[in-house]
């Protein structure tokens, strides 16, 4: 089995492999875009919308296909590759967040982002390699499963790999470890004998060339087949003006290569002769070619994650959202945090603070006032930071947590036959089976599937348990009884916060200290004219106008 330079891992600081064994079938699976296993993402990825953040950026970088309606079906293959790339991005995103995070991995990726954001030449180099790989995909590497690549396709595709490798500019010793691994990979590929031979062949076949064939006929042979022409050698040379004994006006290639008067099996004999010659001479190099192409293509997907997120950050910065490299410490303070998934203007930022003496934050406030967005932002920033991504805050210092646990009511909870409340309790049971004092818990309006009295009691029980552990917890609620319990000191290590609203009912989306000073459940209906006095007057007028009865007693 051919051994080829191993693709450097740009996302994980794991032990670097120098070479791997990869046969043509394995390589074809990579080139064709075969599905690979995906680790199931944790619940918080969906609840916090993190997949959407990374997916939105990578959508800006996914290869665009220009060939449409190609009668060879190339547009179908192109679309399949595009769909595969999107699926692969989803898989990578899922795997990034499914694997437990650690500080080394986070800094490994953050170092790459730091370098690409601050070194313009380095970014241009990274972007050049990425765009070249993009072109490699766009120009037709994708082939439908079951259709072997011809020698011509392999040579042409390897010509692109050869160009990428020969024009590669090393990042150098001052670059992050991930990019130095790329340097070592292309250096090893450049030294490969097969790489050199295939590059020479691709270069020769990319220009006009002549084919010199040596044909033997033996009319004296007893074997009647020897009376037919036999090709005993073939060579490719640069196109010349030299004309042989018969001249060059017969355009033999026009008849023997493309005439419709011959059936398919007899067409293009010269090309088939040359193809056979290449297969014989370059057999070992062709076996290595698929592995080289596949291992180089494997760089595209992690590079897509970096390029996609960089473009996403640039897009968000144009909206006024600042990003920064997070720092890790025992306490936490995140300034002017914003959620990039919120598209309404203006985007209001809020600070996020963590203090072990007040690990629990209970957030009250009006509907659509920003409570849910705030706690999602808390979770998103922690998740992104711990996986090595810049965060939407101009300055962020946070504690490294051992797990993020969320509960947001979903349509499945409501539609499930067991009912919302039982589903909520199942989820809480899962959380309490796993959390530690070093975890982060985010609950959005829990216990809403039961009576108000029961909801307050159960919510307070949960908060007391979290407080006993000292687990960082953010809980949104409409239940004033929960905030009252915090004010009365019945919940340890807890603090009340609320989303502010103007007196006229306009939300400011700003987080303020203390419990909500208003009962928004009554304020909003009154503001909309849905209190009893206003309703009775409205219905009385309608009763007169529309001639039906209404008892206003």
């Amino acid at each position: 089995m051919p051994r080829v330079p191993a693709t450097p891992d740009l996302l994980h600081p794991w032990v670097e492999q120098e070479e791997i064994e990869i046969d043509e079938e394995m390589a074809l699976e990579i080139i064709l875009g075969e599905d690979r296993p995906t680790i199931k993402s944790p619940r918080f990825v969906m609840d916090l919308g993190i997949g959407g953040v990374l997916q939105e950026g990578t959508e800006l970088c996914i290869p665009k296909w220009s060939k449409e309606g190609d009668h060879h079906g190339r547009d179908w293959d192109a679309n399949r590759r595009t769909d595969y790339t999107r699926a692969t991005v989803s898989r990578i995103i899922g795997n990034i967040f499914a694997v437990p995070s650690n500080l080394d991995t986070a800094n490994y990726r953050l170092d790459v982002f730091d370098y690409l954001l601050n070194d313009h030449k380095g970014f241009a180099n990274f972007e050049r390699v990425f765009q070249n790989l993009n072109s490699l995909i766009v120009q037709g590497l994708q082939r439908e499963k079951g259709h072997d690549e011809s020698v011509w396709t392999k040579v042409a595709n390897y010509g692109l790999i050869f160009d990428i490798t020969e024009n590669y500019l090393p990042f150098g010793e001052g670059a992050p470890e991930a990019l130095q691994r790329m340097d070592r990979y292309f250096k090893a590929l450049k030294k490969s004998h097969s790489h050199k031979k295939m590059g020479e062949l691709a270069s020769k076949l990319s220009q006009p060339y002549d084919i010199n064939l040596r044909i033997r006929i033996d009319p004296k042979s007893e074997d009647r087949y020897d009376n037919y022409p036999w090709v005993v050698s073939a060579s490719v040379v640069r196109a010349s003006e030299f004309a042989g004994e018969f001249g060059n006006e017969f355009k033999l290639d026009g008849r023997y290569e493309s005439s419709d008067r011959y059936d398919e099996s007899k067409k293009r004999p010269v090309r088939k002769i040359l193809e056979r010659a290449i297969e014989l001479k370059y057999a070992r190099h062709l076996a290595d070619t698929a592995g080289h192409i596949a291992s180089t293509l494997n760089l595209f997907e992690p590079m897509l994650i970096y390029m996609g997120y960089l473009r996403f950050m640039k897009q968000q910065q144009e909206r006024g959202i600042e990003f920064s490299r997070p720092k890790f410490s025992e306490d936490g303070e995140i300034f002017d945090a914003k959620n990039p998934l919120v598209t309404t203007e203006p985007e209001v930022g809020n600070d996020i603070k963590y203090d072990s003496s007040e690990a629990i934050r209970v957030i009250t406030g009006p509907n659509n006032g920003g409570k849910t967005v705030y706690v999602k932002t808390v979770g998103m920033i922690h998740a992104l930071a711990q996986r090595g991504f810049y965060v939407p805050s101009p300055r962020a210092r946070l504690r490294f947590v051992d797990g993020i646990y969320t509960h947001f009511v979903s349509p499945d909870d409501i539609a499930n036959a067991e009912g919302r409340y039982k589903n909520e309790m199942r989820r809480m049971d899962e959380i309490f089976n796993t959390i530690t004092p070093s975890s982060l818990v985010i609950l959005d309006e829990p216990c809403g599937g039961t009576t108000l009295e029961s909801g307050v009691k159960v919510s307070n029980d949960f908060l007391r348990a979290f407080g006993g552990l000292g687990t960082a917890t953010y809980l949104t609620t409409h239940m004033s009884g929960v905030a009252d319990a915090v004010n009365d000191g019945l919940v340890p290590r807890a603090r009340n916060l609320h989303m502010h609203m103007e007196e006229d009912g306009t939300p400011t989306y700003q987080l303020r200290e203390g419990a909500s000073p208003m009962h928004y459940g009554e304020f909003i209906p009154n503001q909309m004219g849905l209190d009893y006095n206003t309703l009775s007057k409205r219905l009385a007028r309608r009763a007169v106008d529309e001639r039906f009865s209404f008892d206003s007693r």
Side-chain angles (χ1 to χ4, degrees):
M1 187 179 295
R3 295 184 64 83
V4 299
T7 307
D9 194 330
L10 304 186
L11 294 174
H12 304 92
W14 296 332
V15 177
E16 187 177 11
Q17 290 181 280
E18 292 186 1
E19 289 187 328
I20 57 171
E21 290 185 344
I22 183 169
D23 61 20
E24 194 161 356
E25 183 178 349
M26 294 164 58
L28 197 61
E29 288 182 357
I30 296 173
I31 295 170
L32 288 174
E34 295 302 308
D35 293 335
R36 282 172 277 179
T38 301
I39 304 173
K40 185 178 179 181
S41 298
R43 174 81 173 256
F44 72 80
V45 173
M46 178 184 68
D47 282 347
L48 303 177
I50 295 171
V53 170
L54 299 187
Q55 193 83 41
E56 187 172 332
T58 54
E59 285 284 338
L60 300 172
C61 303
I62 284 178
K64 302 299 186 294
W65 305 87
S66 58
K67 285 195 175 285
E68 296 181 1
D70 190 303
H71 67 280
H72 294 299
R74 187 161 176 178
D75 60 326
W76 185 89
D77 285 341
N79 289 333
R80 184 172 183 270
R81 178 74 195 193
T82 301
D83 291 342
Y84 163 69
T85 304
R86 288 195 176 111
T88 299
V89 169
S90 297
R91 175 182 57 79
I92 293 175
I93 292 171
N95 291 350
I96 284 174
F97 289 98
V99 176
S101 57
N102 61 71
L103 197 56
D104 288 341
T105 299
N107 284 321
Y108 184 78
R109 297 169 187 162
L110 286 167
D111 287 345
V112 175
F113 281 115
D114 256 1
Y115 178 82
L116 297 178
L117 284 167
N118 297 304
D119 190 307
H120 298 302
K121 288 184 178 179
F123 174 77
N125 191 22
F126 189 89
E127 187 177 39
R128 185 184 306 111
V129 175
F130 175 78
Q131 294 297 351
N132 286 336
L133 291 174
N134 195 339
S135 297
L136 183 62
I137 297 172
V138 170
Q139 291 186 40
L141 263 180
Q142 172 62 27
R143 295 292 180 270
E144 172 58 2
K145 185 177 181 180
H147 290 242
D148 293 332
E149 292 183 306
S150 70
V151 166
W152 307 102
T153 300
K154 290 179 181 179
V155 173
N157 285 337
Y158 203 81
L160 296 172
I161 293 288
F162 187 78
D163 288 343
I164 292 171
T165 305
E166 295 304 303
N167 296 314
Y168 179 80
L169 300 175
F171 292 97
E173 294 182 0
E177 172 61 21
L179 301 184
Q180 289 190 48
R181 288 183 176 187
M182 277 184 66
D183 289 349
R184 293 191 286 271
Y185 171 77
F186 281 106
K187 184 178 180 180
L189 188 59
K190 203 170 185 178
K191 288 182 177 179
S192 164
H193 182 61
S194 292
H195 170 77
K196 293 177 182 177
K197 299 301 290 185
M198 290 299 297
E200 291 171 1
L201 179 62
S203 178
K204 188 180 290 186
L205 296 182
S206 67
Q207 304 295 327
Y209 58 88
D210 290 342
I211 304 172
N212 293 330
L213 300 178
R214 184 179 176 187
I215 301 174
R216 178 174 296 159
I217 300 175
D218 185 358
K220 295 182 179 181
S221 173
E222 294 181 0
D223 188 340
R224 65 186 181 89
Y225 290 106
D226 284 344
N227 293 316
Y228 294 95
W230 287 82
V231 178
V232 295
S233 68
S235 62
V236 175
V237 296
R238 291 195 178 193
S240 69
E241 299 299 322
F242 174 78
E245 180 180 351
F246 296 103
N248 62 352
E249 297 181 1
F250 289 99
K251 298 187 182 299
L252 297 176
D253 193 53
R255 173 173 180 176
Y256 291 106
E257 292 295 284
S258 60
S259 174
D260 291 334
R261 289 177 292 174
Y262 297 89
D263 63 45
E264 187 67 29
S265 64
K266 294 180 180 178
K267 290 171 68 173
R268 308 178 71 83
V270 177
R271 189 175 180 87
K272 289 184 179 298
I273 289 168
L274 182 58
E275 184 172 335
R276 177 63 177 161
I278 292 172
E279 286 177 338
L280 291 172
K281 182 176 179 179
Y282 292 89
R284 183 169 66 86
H285 306 315
L286 285 168
D288 293 342
T289 295
H292 287 162
I293 292 176
S295 61
T296 304
L297 265 185
N298 270 335
L299 286 170
F300 177 78
E301 287 151 3
M303 292 183 78
L304 178 60
I305 294 296
Y306 286 113
M307 285 298 299
Y309 197 68
L310 287 169
R311 292 190 181 181
F312 176 75
M313 284 197 296
K314 182 179 179 180
Q315 184 186 69
Q316 297 303 312
Q317 285 166 345
E318 291 172 355
R319 294 180 54 211
I321 300 179
E322 293 186 63
F323 283 75
S324 66
R325 175 171 182 158
K327 293 179 171 56
F328 300 98
S329 66
E330 289 302 313
D331 57 358
E333 192 166 20
I334 304 167
F335 295 92
D336 195 29
K338 296 179 180 179
N339 192 314
L341 295 180
V342 176
T343 58
T344 55
E345 300 290 347
E347 172 68 10
V348 177
N350 283 294
D351 295 344
I352 300 168
K353 296 181 180 180
Y354 171 79
D355 183 343
S356 58
S357 65
E358 294 180 332
I360 296 175
R361 306 296 169 102
V362 174
I363 300 102
T364 50
N367 279 324
N368 300 318
K371 300 190 303 297
T372 299
V373 169
Y374 176 76
V375 294
K376 281 189 174 184
T377 307
V378 172
M380 178 181 292
I381 286 180
H382 279 80
L384 289 173
Q386 296 197 181
R387 265 63 181 190
F389 294 89
Y390 269 46
V391 297
S393 161
R395 192 165 75 255
R397 186 181 75 251
L398 57 153
R399 189 177 63 133
F400 208 95
V401 298
D402 61 13
I404 299 174
Y405 303 92
T406 58
H407 173 59
F408 290 75
V409 177
S410 69
D412 289 341
D413 292 332
I414 297 171
N416 191 291
E418 288 186 328
R420 169 183 169 180
Y421 188 60
K422 190 166 186 178
N423 282 326
E424 285 187 296
M425 296 305 102
R426 286 186 186 279
R427 176 60 183 154
M428 296 306 301
D429 183 59
E430 293 171 0
I431 291 173
F432 280 111
N433 279 337
T434 315
I435 60 165
T436 74
S438 299
S439 302
L440 172 64
V441 176
I442 297 174
L443 308 175
D444 187 43
E445 299 186 14
C447 306
T450 185
T451 64
L452 177 62
E453 182 179 5
S454 296
V456 169
K457 180 184 183 305
V458 175
S459 294
N460 287 336
D461 287 345
F462 290 158
L463 290 176
R464 290 173 61 192
F466 290 131
L469 274 177
T471 303
T473 304
Y474 292 78
L475 178 145
T476 69
T477 185
H478 285 292
M479 303 174 189
S480 59
V482 177
D484 292 341
V486 173
N487 281 336
D488 294 340
L490 301 178
V491 180
R493 304 181 188 182
R495 183 177 190 170
N496 275 319
L497 301 169
H498 73 278
M499 301 306 296
H500 178 250
M501 188 174 76
E502 301 285 4
E503 291 184 1
D504 64 358
T506 303
T508 65
Y509 306 108
Q510 293 178 341
L511 191 71
R512 300 285 180 88
E513 292 288 337
S516 176
M518 302 175 65
H519 292 290
Y520 296 103
E522 296 177 7
F523 176 84
I524 294 175
N526 289 344
Q527 184 190 43
M528 296 177 65
L530 295 175
D531 59 285
Y532 179 72
N533 287 335
T534 306
L535 286 174
S536 63
K537 292 177 183 178
R538 183 197 303 181
L539 292 174
R541 286 195 299 271
R542 284 191 58 207
V544 172
D545 294 340
E546 300 176 32
R547 299 181 179 180
F548 58 78
S549 62
F550 172 70
D551 187 353
S552 61
R553 289 178 298 175

